[in-house]
């Protein structure tokens, strides 16, 4: 999914925080029906012959230059640490979105296999230390920004060692926005517990089922925390307030340059600080919004950003569950009740997953609600996830079992070769 064209010229200077807030609030969600689903899936790139080695920018580029376009239209990008992302176009319905992503993913894997490389779908790189290979100016500046902040270590890990599945959904009818955004947040801990798939980071067990979520939790909450206000009744105002308080990360002069002092966007737009010797434009504001990473981000649609990357055994069922619980109105009401007791248990979900009895209870209810309503063609795909939740397990437990039996290097090699 992409931004629709703005009616405001991108080089127009914004003259006040009030004008910026109005622009953000009015454009962050689009009124309309639900039904479209867009998926983004990331996988870490490994060399199966030497899983400690990080394939270079050139090696990955040599594979990708032959792959455009993919048969079902997914765009390909490379994350700072070399993780490869497929971004599927919006499809009407969850089943077409899953099928299209699975076909494009199969083509991508085949191309990497032919090059002697492989993709590993875990929420965090379990073996290699953080290291940036993407030479893009945006990522160089991001690295400098994080290095200058108190979240430098977490920022490096976030950029180069984490991977996710992102689910993009229509905002829906305006009258339902507040309830829909609240539910997307409230589902977070339960879905994190269900999908946790990163018990290791940088060669060690972290003590967390989702090391990815732990890393994000260590980031500056002004940039990566939930956007909900006190009541959550006005998502547009909540997002505007969040965005204006968040520190500016990058300024284009014309290339991206890191802002290494703490400057909330509101200080820039109100003229208390001039970055690049000027006030911000609409383009600066829109770019600033792309540097904010809350777990649910409004970009005219809703980006659900809190799921670990998952193997084929689980991701279609997790995606179907997520979409069903938000887009089916009966399921949404039932899910809101099921997750209410654990709606803010983000850290507990990431640390112990379904080992927490309240999260396990909520997960069982949510999976049962979804299983009764997903398209029949996904019934078989739901079964491994249902068994996991019933047993209080998450994908991280499967991975950990393999590591204990075979060792981390061999396990990563097998995953990169499409095994396990």
């Amino acid at each position: 999914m992409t931004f629709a064209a703005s009616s405001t010229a991108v080089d127009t200077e914004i003259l006040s925080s009030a004008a910026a807030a109005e622009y953000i609030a009015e454009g962050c969600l689009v009124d309309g029906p639900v039904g479209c689903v867009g998926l983004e899936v990331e996988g870490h790139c490994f060399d199966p012959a030497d899983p400690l080695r990080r394939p270079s920018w050139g090696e990955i580029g040599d594979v990708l230059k032959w792959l455009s376009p993919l048969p079902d239209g997914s765009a390909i990008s490379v994350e700072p640490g070399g993780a490869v992302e497929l971004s599927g176009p919006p499809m009407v319905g969850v089943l077409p979105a899953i099928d299209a992503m699975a076909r494009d993913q199969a083509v991508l894997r085949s191309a990497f296999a032919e090059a002697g490389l492989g993709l590993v779908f875990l929420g965090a790189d379990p073996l290699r230390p953080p290291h940036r290979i993407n030479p893009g100016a945006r990522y160089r500046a991001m690295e400098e920004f994080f290095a200058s902040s108190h979240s430098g270590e977490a920022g490096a890990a976030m950029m180069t060692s984490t991977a996710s599945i992102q689910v993009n959904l229509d905002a829906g009818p305006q009258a339902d926005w507040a309830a829909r955004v609240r539910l997307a947040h409230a589902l977070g801990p339960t879905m994190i517990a269900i999908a946790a798939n990163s018990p290791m980071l940088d060669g060690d067990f972290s003590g967390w089922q989702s090391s990815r979520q732990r890393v994000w939790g260590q980031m500056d909450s002004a940039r990566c925390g939930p956007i909900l206000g006190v009541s959550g009744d006005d998502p547009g105002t909540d997002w505007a307030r969040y965005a204006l308080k968040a520190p500016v990360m990058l300024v284009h002069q014309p290339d991206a340059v890191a802002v290494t002092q703490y400057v909330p966007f509101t200080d820039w737009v109100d003229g208390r600080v001039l970055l690049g010797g000027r006030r911000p434009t609409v383009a600066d504001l829109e770019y600033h919004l792309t540097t904010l990473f809350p777990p649910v981000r409004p970009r005219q649609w809703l980006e659900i950003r809190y799921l670990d990357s998952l193997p084929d055994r689980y991701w279609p069922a997790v995606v179907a569950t997520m979409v069903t619980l938000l887009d089916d109105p009966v399921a949404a009401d039932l899910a809101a009740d099921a997750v209410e007791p654990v709606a803010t248990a983000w850290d507990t979900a990431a640390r112990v997953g379904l080992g927490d009895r309240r999260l396990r209870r909520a997960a069982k209810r949510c999976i049962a609600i979804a299983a009764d309503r997903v398209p029949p063609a996904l019934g078989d795909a739901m079964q491994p996830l249902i068994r996991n939740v019933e047993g209080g397990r998450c994908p991280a437990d499967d991975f950990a079992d393999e590591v204990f039996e075979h060792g981390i290097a061999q396990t990563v090699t097998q995953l990169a070769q499409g095994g396990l």
Side-chain angles (χ1 to χ4, degrees):
M1 294 187 176
T2 57
F3 276 111
S6 170
S7 60
T8 304
V10 294
D11 58 354
T12 300
E13 188 176 88
I14 306 173
L15 299 178
S16 69
S17 55
E22 182 179 8
Y23 181 89
I24 296 167
E26 288 184 352
C28 70
L29 296 173
V30 174
D31 184 24
V34 301
C36 282
V37 179
L39 301 178
E40 301 179 27
V41 179
E42 296 172 339
H44 304 281
C45 184
F46 277 91
D47 177 354
D50 183 3
L52 281 167
R53 185 181 77 86
R54 191 179 292 269
S56 70
W57 177 252
E59 287 176 275
I60 295 172
D62 285 344
V63 177
L64 298 184
K65 67 184 179 183
W66 305 108
L67 282 178
S68 183
L70 287 170
D72 283 270
S74 294
I76 309 172
S77 58
V78 181
E79 295 300 304
V84 180
E85 178 181 86
L86 287 184
S87 301
M91 310 288 285
V92 178
V94 67
L95 184 58
I98 288 171
D99 287 346
M101 178 56 68
R103 287 190 292 266
D104 281 351
Q105 203 176 46
V107 173
L108 186 72
R109 281 171 160 160
S110 177
F112 273 91
E114 288 179 13
L117 300 175
L119 298 176
V120 173
F121 295 91
L122 290 164
D125 186 328
L127 192 55
R128 304 169 300 192
H131 178 69
R132 178 177 62 85
I133 67 161
N134 188 323
R138 172 183 169 97
Y139 296 126
R140 287 199 308 271
M142 285 179 69
E143 188 175 62
E144 184 179 351
F145 171 87
F146 287 126
S148 69
S149 74
H150 70 275
S151 57
E153 185 175 341
M158 179 274 286
M159 288 178 63
T160 67
S161 299
T162 63
S164 70
I165 292 177
Q166 182 171 300
V167 181
N168 301 315
L169 300 176
D170 289 313
Q174 186 170 358
D176 298 337
W177 284 353
R180 188 163 170 79
V181 171
R182 282 197 298 268
L183 179 57
H185 283 83
L187 283 168
T190 299
M191 293 304 300
I192 286 169
I194 290 171
N197 189 37
S198 48
M200 298 187 70
L201 181 68
D202 191 11
D204 291 316
F205 281 97
S206 67
W208 293 60
Q209 295 285 60
S210 176
S211 300
R212 175 187 176 274
Q213 186 62 29
R214 182 194 184 192
V215 166
W216 282 92
Q218 293 171 329
M219 302 288 289
D220 184 353
S221 62
R223 168 162 269 105
C224 300
I227 67 171
L228 287 181
V230 174
S231 68
D233 289 336
D234 187 349
T237 297
D238 288 343
W239 180 227
R241 184 182 297 112
Y242 183 104
L244 291 174
K245 288 182 177 179
V248 181
M249 175 183 282
L250 315 172
V251 175
H252 285 94
Q253 305 182 26
D255 288 335
V257 176
V259 178
T260 56
Q261 69 271 36
Y262 197 95
V263 180
F265 193 90
T266 188
D267 284 1
W268 188 19
V269 76
D270 284 334
R272 287 185 285 273
V273 178
L274 296 182
L275 298 177
R278 58 180 175 80
R279 301 277 278 271
T281 64
V282 169
D284 291 316
L285 175 55
E286 291 195 347
Y287 194 81
H288 173 65
L289 297 178
T290 72
T291 70
L292 307 180
F293 310 114
V296 180
R297 183 166 67 174
R299 292 190 65 183
Q300 301 188 354
W301 59 93
L302 294 180
E303 292 181 347
I304 312 300
R305 303 173 51 85
Y306 45 67
L307 298 173
D308 279 6
S309 186
L310 292 162
D312 290 349
R313 178 176 174 81
Y314 294 117
W315 75 257
V318 169
V319 166
T321 297
M322 187 90 251
V323 174
T324 300
L325 296 181
L326 279 164
D327 279 5
D328 182 298
V330 175
D333 287 343
L334 293 171
D337 179 68
V339 301
E340 191 277 333
V342 292
T344 60
W346 297 87
D347 280 355
T348 301
R351 188 175 65 254
V352 300
L354 298 179
D356 179 87
R357 62 178 181 81
R358 297 190 309 154
L359 283 162
R360 186 173 176 180
R361 184 183 304 117
K364 286 182 176 180
R365 290 184 62 190
C366 285
I367 290 295
I369 292 164
D372 287 342
R373 293 169 173 81
V374 299
L378 291 170
D380 288 344
M382 290 292 293
Q383 294 309 307
L385 189 64
I386 292 170
R387 287 194 293 270
N388 251 21
V389 172
E390 289 293 328
R393 291 174 59 87
C394 58
D397 295 306
D398 297 345
F399 178 74
D401 287 349
E402 294 295 332
V403 172
F404 291 139
E405 183 173 353
H406 303 293
I408 177 59
Q410 184 177 340
T411 298
V412 169
T413 292
Q414 289 181 282
L415 288 171
Q417 294 172 331
L420 303 181

